[in-house]
Amino acid sequence: MKKYIAGLLAVMAALCVTTACNSNKKNDKESSVDSSVENLPTTTEVTTAPVETFPEVPVKYPKIEQKESGVLCEAEYSELKDSLRIAYDYDVFSGDGYVTGFGTEGKTSLTFRVDIPSNQHYDLSFSIASDTAADCEVLMGGSVLAEFTTKDGGEFTFTTVHGIFLGKGTADITLRPKNGEISVDYLKVTNSTALEKSDSTAKNAAVNENAAKSAQDIMKFLNKNYGKYVITGQYAADGDNADIELIYHTTGQKPVIRFSELNIFDDGLNEDADAAAEWYKNGGIAFVSWFWNAPSGTKSGVYKKDTDFSLANAVTDMDIAELTQDEIRGLYNDGAVSEECYRLILDIDSMAEKLGKLQEQGIPLMWRPIPEGSGDWYWWGADGAWAYKWLWELMYRRMTVLCGLDNLIWVWNGQSAETMPDKSTFDIASADLYINDAKDYGSRYFESFAAMKKFVGDDKLLGISECGSVPDIDSAFRDNAVWSFFGLWNGKYIDDGKGGYSEKFTSKDALIRAYNSEGSLTLDEYQEMK
């Protein structure tokens, strides 16, 4: 039976290996149109409707005045609303009591009114006690500054939010537990010394020493402009680039990077591969992700809940990265590797074949396979960091060495120190940022940029591979969090469902400012610089 299955799989691999990536968690559109690589269009669609243009906006933020400061705000002196009350039950606390009575429904909050002495970055330290851990938000002006989880144990402990920029004057800082009862003693506001500007030591060359000149040129450009500009990017749901056209008609500018998904279809490459190639041929950069349908023989899907495939069962101590399919099939027949391992190899090789068609045309790609590896919602992350890293390094070596793909710039999106593979197997580290979901235009410095830089180091570029709202360019430069690029998701994040721009997640003014800032790079500027 095992030999029969192996033979059947071999025939399937020879004819076609079908594993189309279904829509992921943020996009309910399906892409089902195939088109031939040989019939690539050579020009972009001409826009006939008049498009409003906007003047370039300088990067602007208040002058930073570094001053030693320390402000202590007792919770019991704040205005207490709803069910909040002063209590004295703990043996040790500051001042004349502490505040409790928040409840567990996330509806009650406490606001501290703080006198801020100067424009600078501050650390906000809350003294909080909680019997069980509770998720909390820190807000100012209705916008969420940070999120954290309290410690349990029922004793007052410090939780510090680092590097929050506050302007001189009065600031209302609100603390809101979302799902647990807490007791709050005080808030201490001190000047932050954690914000640092570190120069990138990333190399101009791709990690693949045999990378094609076209891929090397993109890496050189990204490195040369890292810290100088945030490169604009937009996800395209379909090959007609309707999402990019919507950005163009809203801002008067087009993004440099076209983000999309690349799937395996029966016949050649799908429509999106053609569109990615066209985008590069017309002067842009193509970025593709692989949301991989699990190579299960019975129940396949992207999400762990939708498949019976086990990555853990596929992992082997044997070095199979550079073995041929025939050699691995022999190992499977002998029981040396599992069926899951064999199926993985077939899918990797099938995708490599598709990418090879683009390689033949000289099309370089920013390549992000198996994204969000630190989460357990996708099957490639559900079995732990060790399995994820094994799969990443297997794929990298097999595609670059055995399959000889030289057109890929590898973007690792594991998002945690535990899931980071060997640094010789990726060029760029990226984060997916949907923090607070709607209209969060901050730089995302400490919760994302600084956190990633801490474990990745200065020798890798950092980018935003997905976001629900555009980053604020002014804040990025103010906070020394100048991401290499951003990719704004499509669908509801920009489209109102009627073909118009939706302001639900990013206001029109914020989008226009991001695309017309001197600190961002758009398609026409990129082409001029090239």
Side-chain angles (χ1 to χ4, degrees):
M1 178 62 70
K2 182 177 291 188
K3 290 183 179 180
Y4 172 76
I5 294 173
L8 180 60
L9 289 172
V11 173
M12 293 172 63
L15 296 176
C16 62
V17 178
T18 304
T19 173
C21 174
N22 292 336
S23 56
N24 60 44
K25 65 178 182 295
K26 307 175 194 73
N27 181 18
D28 56 5
K29 294 183 180 179
E30 294 184 2
S31 182
S32 58
V33 181
D34 285 355
S35 59
S36 171
V37 176
E38 287 73 16
N39 294 324
L40 281 173
T42 56
T43 58
T44 55
E45 180 181 352
V46 177
T47 303
T48 56
V51 176
E52 184 178 1
T53 58
F54 302 89
E56 195 169 50
V57 181
V59 174
K60 187 177 181 180
Y61 53 86
K63 182 180 179 180
I64 306 296
E65 300 176 290
Q66 287 286 353
K67 292 183 178 180
E68 291 290 336
S69 60
V71 179
L72 185 67
C73 302
E74 294 286 353
E76 66 271 21
Y77 299 151
S78 301
E79 182 180 357
L80 305 184
K81 298 180 179 180
D82 301 322
S83 58
L84 294 181
R85 68 183 189 277
I86 301 175
Y88 318 92
D89 298 330
Y90 283 101
D91 294 333
V92 179
F93 53 82
S94 174
D96 298 323
Y98 55 88
V99 173
T100 191
F102 290 87
T104 60
E105 297 181 355
K107 297 180 179 180
T108 306
S109 61
L110 176 67
T111 298
F112 296 90
R113 177 153 289 185
V114 187
D115 291 326
I116 305 301
S118 65
N119 299 326
Q120 64 174 336
H121 295 84
Y122 293 88
D123 293 340
L124 309 181
S125 298
F126 297 90
S127 178
I128 301 175
S130 179
D131 291 332
T132 59
D135 297 324
C136 296
E137 292 179 329
V138 182
L139 305 93
M140 189 171 70
S143 298
V144 178
L145 298 177
E147 298 176 326
F148 62 84
T149 301
T150 66
K151 297 179 181 179
D152 55 14
E155 296 182 355
F156 283 111
T157 57
F158 262 150
T159 298
T160 300
V161 177
H162 294 279
I164 300 297
F165 178 82
L166 299 175
K168 182 178 181 179
T170 302
D172 288 339
I173 300 173
T174 299
L175 176 66
R176 180 172 62 199
K178 297 193 294 183
N179 55 8
E181 179 64 85
I182 64 173
S183 297
V184 183
D185 194 4
Y186 60 83
L187 164 64
K188 188 175 182 180
V189 181
T190 57
N191 62 302
S192 179
T193 59
L195 193 72
E196 297 178 355
K197 185 173 183 178
S198 56
D199 294 329
S200 172
T201 59
K203 297 179 180 179
N204 287 332
V207 290
N208 179 8
E209 295 179 354
N210 298 315
K213 183 179 182 301
S214 57
Q216 296 284 15
D217 287 345
I218 292 177
M219 277 302 301
K220 290 177 182 177
F221 183 87
L222 295 176
N223 274 284
K224 181 179 179 181
N225 293 284
Y226 188 48
K228 298 178 182 178
Y229 302 100
V230 179
I231 301 174
T232 55
Q234 176 59 47
Y235 273 86
D238 302 301
D240 62 4
N241 293 333
D243 304 277
I244 292 175
E245 288 298 315
L246 182 55
I247 293 293
Y248 176 51
H249 282 273
T250 305
T251 68
Q253 301 287 348
K254 288 188 177 182
V256 176
I257 306 176
R258 180 188 186 275
F259 289 77
S260 60
E261 297 176 42
L262 193 59
N263 304 326
I264 302 175
F265 279 79
D266 287 350
D267 301 316
L269 291 170
N270 70 346
E271 177 188 13
D272 189 73
D274 294 352
E278 179 189 2
W279 188 258
Y280 173 75
K281 289 182 176 181
N282 284 280
I285 297 175
F287 184 115
V288 296
S289 301
W290 187 12
F291 289 86
W292 183 356
N293 267 16
S296 170
T298 57
K299 189 178 179 184
S300 184
V302 172
Y303 296 107
K304 177 61 179 177
K305 64 182 179 61
D306 295 330
T307 182
D308 57 1
F309 184 82
S310 170
L311 178 58
N313 289 342
V315 176
T316 175
D317 293 332
M318 300 182 65
D319 187 359
I320 62 172
E322 299 175 33
L323 298 182
T324 66
Q325 282 192 15
D326 286 341
E327 290 172 324
I328 295 176
R329 188 181 307 117
L331 293 175
Y332 169 57
N333 286 332
D334 294 338
V337 297
S338 65
E339 181 180 343
E340 289 92 340
C341 181
Y342 184 40
R343 287 183 177 275
L344 278 179
I345 293 297
L346 295 180
D347 268 14
I348 291 172
D349 289 358
S350 181
M351 177 55 80
E353 181 182 357
K354 313 307 180 187
L355 297 173
K357 297 291 182 65
L358 292 174
Q359 178 186 23
E360 292 171 3
Q361 301 176 66
I363 308 297
L365 298 173
M366 297 179 71
W367 170 240
R368 182 182 69 135
I370 51 175
E372 300 181 16
S374 59
D376 60 0
W377 43 91
Y378 295 129
W379 63 264
W380 52 80
D383 287 336
W386 64 280
Y388 173 85
K389 290 192 292 185
W390 174 85
L391 178 59
W392 176 277
E393 294 177 7
L394 169 69
M395 185 189 306
Y396 174 82
R397 284 184 55 203
R398 191 165 186 84
M399 285 187 167
T400 57
V401 180
L402 181 69
C403 301
L405 292 176
D406 62 8
N407 60 327
L408 305 181
I409 297 168
W410 288 76
V411 182
W412 168 69
N413 186 215
Q415 304 191 110
S416 73
E418 292 74 24
T419 58
M420 188 174 74
D422 191 289
K423 293 172 74 171
S424 65
T425 64
F426 67 93
D427 298 290
I428 299 169
S430 71
D432 292 358
L433 302 178
Y434 291 86
I435 302 171
N436 313 326
D437 211 25
K439 297 184 180 178
D440 176 11
Y441 310 129
S443 66
R444 286 75 177 265
Y445 179 77
F446 275 100
E447 78 275 20
S448 298
F449 190 88
M452 184 175 291
K453 182 178 283 288
K454 186 175 181 180
F455 61 79
V456 173
D458 290 332
D459 58 339
K460 297 292 181 183
L461 304 183
L462 304 183
I464 302 175
S465 46
E466 292 182 27
C467 56
S469 57
V470 293
D472 180 70
I473 306 300
D474 294 343
S475 298
F477 281 89
R478 182 196 68 196
D479 298 344
N480 297 330
V482 184
W483 300 88
S484 176
F485 55 83
F486 70 82
L488 183 62
W489 200 259
N490 54 31
K492 68 178 183 180
Y493 290 93
I494 61 169
D495 194 332
D496 64 3
K498 302 176 182 178
Y501 181 73
S502 170
E503 297 193 74
K504 181 178 180 181
F505 295 91
T506 299
S507 72
K508 185 176 180 180
D509 288 344
L511 188 74
I512 291 171
R513 185 173 181 84
Y515 266 85
N516 291 277
S517 170
E518 290 180 351
S520 66
L521 203 64
T522 53
L523 183 61
D524 59 342
E525 295 169 329
Y526 169 68
Q527 292 172 342
E528 288 179 11
M529 293 173 71
K530 286 177 61 183

